[in-house]
């Protein structure tokens, strides 16, 4: 069986210990993974530090060319990367191909953006010349989640290295392989050794070592709010800036004047996407009393038609990432004390799926808004439903959790849409749609316990640089 090793300073690096990479569709091993820790992280940080000055001083035009070459190579290897991603995560092959395409777009977008990323000239007086410079931090650490391994890695590393940082990435325990592949492609594109490093391993070991390493100047994390708080504390102890993209409990609010066919289709797709293992999943459906029963029936009907199977067979719904995640989802659904399960509710009955970490698409109506299932991320294909009678009640329900990542409003009344967009506490709000594909150009991040800082778009370049002001007397 193959062994996935860390990729540091342009070469594979083994570890003393390994662990099994489990296929969530079958429960069988896909191979071994190097269990990197403090030693490997230190080696990667030292490599990044050694490459830092030369990379920082590389002309933006040259960096831009190299990033677009990475994008080209990801495109050339899209099918191979998608297969690896599908095996590691369980997601349908079509979704994995889309993830590879989006990863390529990140490198291409930031390759183009860096060409026009400048500081400012500030007019003070005729004898003073004042200007700002945007300068890289140095070494950036990136700890990414298992649900979108390629996308999350690319959206973190691409802007970081575009502006002149050198990066050390720690992929999730369950999904390490495409991170290593992207780092290899960067070297093939001509990126100098040490600019893009990957340490594989367990979060509590390699991730913790990266977050607390004194040589890491900036830390980014995507994952749970609980772990994000720990990462932020570790970085704060040495006053290192952080970007945290954490949990979500995103509402989809549907009014009677909405196009219900369009809304139902989008709501069903959003909860099926990646088996609901998405921090931006529209996992709370808030429906006006007048259309509640009709819309719930429409959504359940669409979910009931979803095909379920191994990701490589390209169904509508693949397995969850692990048995552990399957058990977590099942316990949250079975622990719901009030709502009515309208469809799904547990693993599918098909015996051919018994060895995998599958969970049937589920809708639970009349959920108590204060219950755990309505307050915390489920991270599975589970949709909770609440009724509302007025606009104010809808806003209160929408803002009634500790999270604030995304929201959606379904209505033909654009005045109402703009009112709610202003009132919903979320980093992104959609009207009569949900999500925007990869959304590479759209700033993304949360309010409240969904984290802070912004990734994607031009704002990411600001997050990975510090402003220096220079004043010269003539």
């Amino acid at each position: 069986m193959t062994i996935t090793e860390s990729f540091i300073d342009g070469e594979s690096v083994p570890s003393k210990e390994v662990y099994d990479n489990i296929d969530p569709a079958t429960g069988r091993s896909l191979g071994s993974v190097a269990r990197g820790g403090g030693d490997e992280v230190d080696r990667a940080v030292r490599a990044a530090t050694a490459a830092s000055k030369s990379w920082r001083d590389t002309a933006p035009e040259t960096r831009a060319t190299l990033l677009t070459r990475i994008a080209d190579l990801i495109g050339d290897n899209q099918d191979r990367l998608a297969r690896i991603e599908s095996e590691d995560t369980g997601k349908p092959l079509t979704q994995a191909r889309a993830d590879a395409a989006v990863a390529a777009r990140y490198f291409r977008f930031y390759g183009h953006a860096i060409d026009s990323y400048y500081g400012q000239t500030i007019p003070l007086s005729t004898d003073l010349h004042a200007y700002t410079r945007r300068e890289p931090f140095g070494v950036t650490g990136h700890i990414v989640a298992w649900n979108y391994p390629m996308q999350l890695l690319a959206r973190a590393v691409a802007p970081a290295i575009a502006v002149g940082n050198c990066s050390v990435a720690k992929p999730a325990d369950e999904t390490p392989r495409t991170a290593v592949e992207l780092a290899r492609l960067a070297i093939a594109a001509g990126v100098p050794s040490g600019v893009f490093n990957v340490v594989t391993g367990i979060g509590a070991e390699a991730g913790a070592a990266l977050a607390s390493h004194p040589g890491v100047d900036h830390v980014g994390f995507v994952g749970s709010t609980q772990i994000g708080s720990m990462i932020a504390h570790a970085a704060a102890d040495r006053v290192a800036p952080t970007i945290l993209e954490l949990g979500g409990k995103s509402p989809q609010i549907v009014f009677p004047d909405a196009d219900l066919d369009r809304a139902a289709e989008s709501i069903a797709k959003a909860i099926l996407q990646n088996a609901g293992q998405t921090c931006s999943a529209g996992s709370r459906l808030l429906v006006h009393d007048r259309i509640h029963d009709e819309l719930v029936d429409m959504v359940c009907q669409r979910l009931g038609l979803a095909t379920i199977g191994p990701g490589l067979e390209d169904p509508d719904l693949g397995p969850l990432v692990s048995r552990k995640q399957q058990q977590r989802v099942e316990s949250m659904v079975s622990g719901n004390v009030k709502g009515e399960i309208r469809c799904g509710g547990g693993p599918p009955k098909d015996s051919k799926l018994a060895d995998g970490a599958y969970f049937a698409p589920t809708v639970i109506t009349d959920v108590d808004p204060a219950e755990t299932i309505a307050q915390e991320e489920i991270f599975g294909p589970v949709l909770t439903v609440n009724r509302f009678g007025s606009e104010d009640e809808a806003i209160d329900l929408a803002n009634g959790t500790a999270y604030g990542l995304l929201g959606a409003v379904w209505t033909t009344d654009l005045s109402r849409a703009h009112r709610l967009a202003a009132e919903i506490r979320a980093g992104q709000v959609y009207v009569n749609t949900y999500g925007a594909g990869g959304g590479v150009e759209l700033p993304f991040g949360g309010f409240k316990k969904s984290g802070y800082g912004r990734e994607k778009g031009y704002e990411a370049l600001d997050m990975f640089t510090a402003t220096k002001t220079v004043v010269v007397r003539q």
Side-chain angles (χ1 to χ4, degrees):
M1 279 204 175
T2 60
I3 299 179
T4 300
E5 297 177 330
S6 298
F7 193 76
I8 300 170
D9 207 13
E11 62 182 21
S12 292
V13 175
S15 297
K16 294 177 182 177
E17 297 181 60
V18 297
Y19 65 92
D20 276 333
N21 182 21
I22 301 299
D23 182 346
T26 64
R28 295 190 289 269
S29 176
L30 293 163
S32 299
V33 181
R35 188 168 174 169
D39 290 344
E40 290 83 354
V41 166
D42 187 61
R43 180 171 173 175
V45 172
R46 283 190 282 109
T49 302
S52 187
K53 186 178 187 308
S54 176
W55 183 245
R56 181 193 68 197
D57 293 342
T58 298
E61 179 184 6
T62 301
R63 280 189 249 130
T65 298
L66 293 174
L67 263 71
T68 54
R69 281 183 192 163
I70 296 173
D72 291 340
L73 288 175
I74 293 172
D76 292 344
N77 289 271
Q78 182 178 14
D79 287 344
R80 181 174 66 86
L81 292 169
R83 184 178 182 87
I84 296 170
E85 193 90 325
S86 179
E87 289 176 341
D88 276 3
T89 64
K91 69 176 59 183
L93 202 52
T94 294
Q95 293 178 27
R97 286 195 191 101
D99 287 353
V102 173
R105 283 186 60 215
Y106 277 114
F107 283 99
R108 195 176 309 283
F109 177 85
Y110 289 110
H112 293 161
I114 193 61
D115 271 341
S116 57
Y117 186 62
Y118 311 120
Q120 301 178 49
T121 299
I122 304 170
L124 288 179
S125 63
T126 55
D127 64 337
L128 290 176
H129 174 50
Y131 63 94
T132 62
R133 292 168 50 89
R134 301 293 309 191
E135 297 191 355
F137 287 101
V139 177
T140 57
H142 311 276
I143 303 169
V144 300
W146 45 257
N147 52 344
Y148 290 91
M150 276 191 287
Q151 280 204 43
L152 296 177
L153 189 79
R155 90 179 190 197
V157 170
I161 67 175
V163 294
N165 297 290
C166 292
S167 293
V168 179
K170 193 291 183 184
D173 317 354
E174 303 91 340
T175 56
R177 293 191 291 166
T178 49
V180 174
E181 291 297 320
L182 292 187
R184 288 183 179 279
L185 291 179
I187 291 292
V191 173
S193 298
V195 171
F196 182 1
N197 308 276
V198 174
V199 177
T200 60
I202 306 299
E205 299 165 358
L210 183 59
S212 60
H213 196 288
V216 175
D217 303 297
H218 182 287
V219 179
F221 173 76
V222 180
S224 71
T225 300
Q226 179 186 11
I227 302 300
S229 179
M230 295 168 63
I231 297 287
H233 275 90
D237 283 342
R238 50 195 177 77
V239 200
T242 56
I243 302 173
L244 301 179
E245 196 260 277
L246 308 176
K249 196 67 177 172
S250 302
Q252 299 224 44
I253 309 171
V254 187
F255 287 89
D257 62 340
D259 181 332
L260 295 190
D261 281 325
R262 190 168 155 195
E265 188 70 21
S266 182
I267 290 160
K269 284 183 177 178
I271 205 63
L272 289 173
Q273 172 74 22
N274 203 34
Q277 299 168 120
T278 307
C279 44
S280 56
S283 57
R284 285 192 300 147
L285 179 56
L286 311 180
V287 192
H288 193 279
D289 273 324
R290 279 183 14 218
I291 55 167
H292 175 275
D293 294 350
E294 180 183 3
L295 183 62
V296 168
D297 287 344
M298 294 169 73
V299 171
C300 285
Q301 182 180 27
R302 284 164 171 78
L303 294 179
L305 296 173
T307 57
I308 305 176
L312 293 181
E313 294 180 6
D314 207 21
D316 298 315
L317 181 67
L320 299 171
V321 75
S322 65
R323 283 286 193 184
K324 179 181 176 182
Q325 184 62 17
Q326 182 195 45
Q327 291 163 6
R328 179 181 181 276
V329 173
E330 193 165 9
S331 68
M332 291 188 76
V333 170
S334 63
N336 174 50
V337 296
K338 182 182 178 184
E340 177 187 356
I341 296 176
R342 294 289 300 273
C343 59
K349 305 300 183 185
D350 188 342
S351 61
K352 291 183 291 187
L353 304 177
D355 292 332
Y358 297 93
F359 200 87
T362 299
V363 175
I364 309 175
T365 58
D366 295 318
V367 171
D368 182 344
E371 288 290 340
T372 299
I373 201 167
Q375 288 290 317
E376 297 296 331
E377 275 192 311
I378 302 170
F379 239 54
V382 179
L383 187 67
T384 65
V385 187
N386 287 108
R387 305 167 185 263
F388 68 85
S390 68
E391 195 174 294
D392 286 343
E393 188 180 358
I395 293 168
D396 287 343
L397 284 168
N399 292 333
T401 76
Y403 300 102
L405 198 57
L406 264 74
V409 181
W410 294 87
T411 180
T412 55
D413 184 340
L414 289 184
S415 294
R416 172 192 284 149
H418 287 296
R419 282 197 305 274
L420 266 72
E423 292 292 337
I424 294 171
R425 297 286 291 167
Q428 290 186 342
V429 178
Y430 292 90
V431 177
N432 296 328
T433 186
Y434 195 78
V440 171
E441 304 85 355
L442 306 177
F444 182 74
F447 287 31
K448 302 187 288 185
K449 286 190 177 180
S450 288
Y452 50 77
R454 292 294 180 266
E455 296 183 282
K456 304 187 182 184
Y458 245 73
E459 286 197 33
L461 299 177
D462 290 342
M463 298 303 300
F464 286 111
T465 54
T467 301
K468 176 183 285 184
T469 303
V470 181
V471 181
V472 180
R473 185 173 290 279
Q474 307 281 7

